[in-house]
Amino acid sequence: MNPKSTQQAIGDASATAFKIMHRGSAKQKLMGMRCKKYIKLACQGVISPEKLPLTPRADHFHGLHTFYQIAIWSQLHDTPELDPVDWGWMHKDNKLHPVTTDIDIALNISNLIYRT
């Protein structure tokens, strides 16, 4: 883990990891993989959202959360003080909560329906 990694680099690495986890290649797009999986599940008659690959933005934020947690938990000596808000977290009720996406869910659903 490189403590000087940028949010973009972490997001890109996270996307590659999720593509491989879902038996895709690094060159595939997550939304394309998600759409194919959605169609496959729909043809089987049961759509289990937990079996769908993450949306690209959800994946990006998941990578940021993971990086931040590892950096804090391991207390990397070379890591400058990290602001959790810069790494996909938000302050709410005096607690940190993960940002899951910055895209409206209705937009994601309409895009998925449009593509099928």
Side-chain angles (χ1 to χ4, degrees):
M1 182 171 124
N2 182 353
K4 296 177 183 169
S5 294
T6 65
Q7 287 93 342
Q8 186 62 47
I10 296 299
D12 292 346
S14 179
T16 300
F18 270 98
K19 290 173 190 177
I20 293 168
M21 272 180 24
H22 285 279
R23 298 190 175 122
S25 73
K27 293 183 180 184
Q28 285 181 290
K29 294 193 180 285
L30 278 172
M31 280 306 285
M33 293 174 64
R34 185 174 171 81
C35 187
K36 286 179 186 179
K37 184 70 171 187
Y38 179 87
I39 291 169
K40 182 179 177 181
L41 292 172
C43 289
Q44 294 171 350
V46 178
I47 299 173
S48 303
E50 68 274 7
K51 293 186 178 181
L52 293 173
L54 294 174
T55 63
R57 293 305 291 169
D59 169 66
H60 176 82
F61 282 105
H62 180 76
L64 296 183
H65 302 155
T66 303
F67 178 85
Y68 179 78
Q69 287 177 330
I70 291 170
I72 296 303
W73 290 343
S74 63
Q75 298 178 4
L76 297 175
H77 299 290
D78 295 338
T79 304
E81 178 109 8
L82 297 176
D83 182 355
V85 173
D86 293 337
W87 294 95
W89 296 89
M90 65 179 162
H91 293 283
K92 183 177 176 183
D93 301 327
N94 287 334
K95 295 180 184 176
L96 285 176
H97 294 271
V99 174
T100 55
T101 187
D102 57 357
I103 305 265
D104 184 13
I105 189 66
L107 179 61
N108 282 331
I109 292 171
S110 66
N111 283 340
L112 185 61
I113 292 169
Y114 175 74
R115 291 180 185 196
T116 57

